């Protein structure tokens, strides 16, 4: 693509694919900020609710790990369609046989299996970006990717339910999600089917495909910088996934906010990330990927996570004060956007496996966040979970002083690493 094929880093020819991500994730995100409380309202305990999300997060982590290599081996388009169909089927079973019958084992089973679907859909699209775009355009494009993700799962996915729940109820809103996911899946199919992706690994013998799949694990142990990057990416979105579960218990049950008010606060957080994802994607190319992650991502998220708990606790039922930490969280969580470009840069000859590690990290965040909540809530309450997330952001900041990433236009990495990367490319 030429420079005029981009609009502020957005590849124009793939615009409809980005829009499909937003629509799909809107449907996927309908339940994000109220399903945990909906489950407890049905008579289950907060710990049982957290377990449902923990199994979902584990499945999402496994699907995210596999999606990069799977997309490379069968093409991103086919992998996206598998994720799309799986989501529709499993959500229908979750609603009818799980929630509909108040059957806890089936709720865990079908919601858990549904966790395989969305990572396969969205991260296969990310693999398409890695295959199609030049490396110097990748960080900005993935900024747009996460912006569309935020439009879907956060803005539409949180704000629209605040309007539909009073009219359709929580169950009706959950059924409505199928329409949005279906529209996103269909749009992706028709708009991306002719994108010229890399098919060099599609016809590999099965043994070679299994070898490539295994690299999505072995790279973690053979490249220490990929391992550090993996830990940083896991920590990146702990508050995003964790606060959606624990904060309704604080805002609605203890501070007197209505469920609609809470959903609007959560939607504001995601609305901010639309712009900050794009901003940090472009800024990271100039400021330096890791430098930005350290000072604005890790430190910013540590401060924002504490503010999200203590400011509302101090101010009580004050909607406008509650928006302050929501905006802060939206600004700083997006500073991790360049991590998308870090992984394939560290393993240029095995981009599919490297992207799979990135996706695994993102999926593990979806698992670790509720897992921490489910373990700590019974003993340390909400405040203990918040401090656990904060400590991990500080730990991630320390890791950024160890990791070394060769970035185009930045000559600050050690000479030894430069030499290793040059040898990999030769």
């Amino acid at each position: 693509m030429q420079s005029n094929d981009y609009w502020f880093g957005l590849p124009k020819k793939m615009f409809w694919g980005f829009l499909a991500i937003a629509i799909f994730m809107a449907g996927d995100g309908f339940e994000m900020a109220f399903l945990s409380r909906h489950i407890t309202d049905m008579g289950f305990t907060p710990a049982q609710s957290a377990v449902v999300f923990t199994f979902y997060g584990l499945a999402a982590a496994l699907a995210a790990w596999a999606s990069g290599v799977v997309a490379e081996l069968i093409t991103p388009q086919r992998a996206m369609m598998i994720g799309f169909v799986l989501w529709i089927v499993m959500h229908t079973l979750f609603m009818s046989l799980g929630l509909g019958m108040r059957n806890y084992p089936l709720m865990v089973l079908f919601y858990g299996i549904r966790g395989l679907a969305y990572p396969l859909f969205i991260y296969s699209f990310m693999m398409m970006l890695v295959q199609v775009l030049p490396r110097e355009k990748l960080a900005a494009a993935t900024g747009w990717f996460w912006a569309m993700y935020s439009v879907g799962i956060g803005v539409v996915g949180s704000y629209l339910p605040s309007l539909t729940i009073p009219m359709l109820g929580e169950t009706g809103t959950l059924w409505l999600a199928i329409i949005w996911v279906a529209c996103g899946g269909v749009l992706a199919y028709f708009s991306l089917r002719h994108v010229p992706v890399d098919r060099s690994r599609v016809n590999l013998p099965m043994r070679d495909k299994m070898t490539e799949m295994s690299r999505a694990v072995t790279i973690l142990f053979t490249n220490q910088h990929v391992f550090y990057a993996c830990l940083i990416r896991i920590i990146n979105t702990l508050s995003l996934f964790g606060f959606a579960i624990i904060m309704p218990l604080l805002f609605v049950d203890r501070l007197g906010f209505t469920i609609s008010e809470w959903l609007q606060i959560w939607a504001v957080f995601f609305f901010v990330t639309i712009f900050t994802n794009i901003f940090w994607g472009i800024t990271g190319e100039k400021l330096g990927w890791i430098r930005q992650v350290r000072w604005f991502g890790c430190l910013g998220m540590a401060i924002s996570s504490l503010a999200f708990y203590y400011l509302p606790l101090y101010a009580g039922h004050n909607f406008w004060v509650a928006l302050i930490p929501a905006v802060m969280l939206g600004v700083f969580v997006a500073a991790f956007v360049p991590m998308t470009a870090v992984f394939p840069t560290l393993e240029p000859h095995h981009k599919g496996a490297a992207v799979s590690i990135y996706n695994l990290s993102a999926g593990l965040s979806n698992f670790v966040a509720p897992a921490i909540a489910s373990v700590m809530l019974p003993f340390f309450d909400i405040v203990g979970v918040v401090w656990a997330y904060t400590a991990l952001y500080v730990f991630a900041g320390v890791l950024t002083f160890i990791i070394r990433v060769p970035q185009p236009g930045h000559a600050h990495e050690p000479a030894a690493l430069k030499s290793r990367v040059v040898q990999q490319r030769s």
Side-chain angles (χ1 to χ4, degrees):
M1 294 184 182
Q2 304 298 320
S3 58
N4 58 358
D5 292 329
Y6 297 85
W7 185 75
F8 290 100
L10 173 70
K12 295 179 182 178
K13 293 182 179 180
M14 301 181 71
F15 168 78
W16 294 108
F18 283 91
L19 184 60
I21 294 295
I23 296 172
F24 184 98
M25 291 310 300
D28 185 78
F30 270 21
E31 83 262 2
M32 185 176 183
F34 73 86
L35 182 57
S36 63
R37 189 171 181 274
H38 180 64
I39 292 174
T40 58
D41 286 345
M42 295 172 65
F44 299 100
T45 67
Q48 285 178 308
S49 176
V51 167
V52 173
F53 285 91
T54 300
F55 274 91
Y56 174 88
L58 179 60
L62 292 174
W65 164 73
S67 60
V69 176
V70 168
E72 192 173 42
L73 297 179
I74 69 172
T75 75
Q77 291 92 330
R78 291 178 182 174
M80 290 178 73
M81 289 305 101
I82 292 173
F84 163 51
V85 173
L86 185 63
W87 196 101
I88 297 292
V89 173
M90 288 300 115
H91 188 74
T92 302
L93 292 173
F94 171 67
M95 289 299 301
S96 57
L97 301 181
L99 290 180
M101 298 177 62
R102 301 198 174 197
N103 187 312
Y104 184 71
L106 292 183
M107 287 165 53
V108 174
L109 175 65
F110 292 128
Y111 194 62
I113 297 176
R114 206 201 83 181
L116 299 171
Y118 95 84
L120 196 56
F121 186 85
I122 68 170
Y123 294 133
S124 294
F125 179 74
M126 183 180 291
M127 186 64 218
M128 187 184 299
L129 296 180
V130 171
Q131 290 184 346
V132 172
L133 304 180
R135 186 164 62 120
E136 62 272 14
K137 298 291 185 180
L138 188 56
T142 52
W144 279 99
F145 169 86
W146 289 115
M148 294 300 101
Y149 176 93
S150 296
V151 168
I153 197 173
V155 179
V156 178
S158 293
Y159 185 73
L160 190 58
S162 74
L163 303 178
T164 60
I165 287 175
M167 295 184 295
L168 304 176
E170 293 178 349
T171 300
T173 298
L174 289 170
W175 279 112
L176 181 64
I178 291 180
I179 297 176
W180 285 78
V181 168
C183 290
V186 171
L187 179 59
Y189 173 76
F190 285 105
S191 63
L192 299 174
R193 56 181 175 171
H194 296 307
V195 174
V197 296
D198 180 8
R199 296 176 178 270
S200 61
R201 299 182 187 270
V202 173
N203 296 319
L204 287 176
M206 184 55 65
R207 182 176 180 178
D208 292 343
K209 289 184 177 182
M210 292 300 100
T211 300
E212 192 62 26
M213 284 288 291
S214 69
R215 284 198 177 96
V217 175
T218 57
I219 285 175
L220 273 175
F221 305 101
T222 58
N223 188 328
Q224 64 176 346
H225 297 286
V226 171
F227 178 74
Y228 298 145
C230 177
L231 294 179
I232 293 169
R233 181 58 186 88
I234 290 171
I235 295 168
N236 172 191
T237 44
L238 287 181
S239 290
L240 188 158
F241 293 116
F243 284 2
I245 298 170
I246 65 173
M247 286 307 176
L249 305 177
L250 173 68
F251 281 76
V252 178
D253 295 343
R254 302 183 188 180
L255 300 180
F257 288 79
T258 66
I259 189 67
S260 291
E261 285 177 323
W262 158 246
L263 288 171
Q264 289 167 13
I265 292 168
W266 197 239
V268 166
F269 153 62
F270 272 107
F271 180 77
V272 172
T273 64
I274 297 173
F275 306 100
T276 56
N277 274 307
I278 299 169
F279 170 78
W280 289 120
I282 297 172
T283 304
E285 300 288 355
K286 305 180 184 301
L287 187 63
W289 296 340
I290 297 300
R291 187 181 295 117
Q292 175 177 294
V293 168
R294 176 187 304 136
W295 298 115
F296 296 97
C298 300
L299 181 61
M301 284 300 291
I303 296 171
S304 302
S305 297
L306 292 176
F308 212 106
Y309 177 81
Y310 285 104
L311 272 181
L313 193 67
Y314 173 78
H317 187 179
N318 187 318
F319 182 82
W320 298 106
V321 171
L323 290 181
I324 296 173
V327 171
M328 292 174 60
L329 207 71
V331 169
F332 295 116
V333 74
F336 288 87
V337 158
M339 293 301 296
T340 313
V342 166
F343 284 77
T345 299
L346 290 171
E347 282 290 340
H349 289 317
H350 303 287
K351 292 183 178 180
V355 171
S356 279
I357 296 295
Y358 172 88
N359 297 341
L360 170 66
S361 309
L364 281 175
S365 186
N366 202 350
F367 165 71
V368 172
I372 291 173
S374 62
V375 170
M376 300 197 69
L377 273 175
F379 302 101
F380 302 102
D381 201 47
I382 297 171
V383 65
V385 180
V386 172
W387 273 102
Y389 293 161
T390 302
L392 287 170
Y393 282 117
V394 174
F395 173 67
V398 173
L399 289 179
T400 63
F401 288 98
I402 303 174
I403 188 174
R404 294 292 184 269
V405 181
Q407 180 182 343
H410 291 264
H412 57 273
E413 70 271 15
L417 181 64
K418 284 185 180 180
S419 176
R420 181 176 65 84
V421 173
V422 169
Q423 289 174 2
Q424 285 180 333
R425 292 176 180 172
S426 60

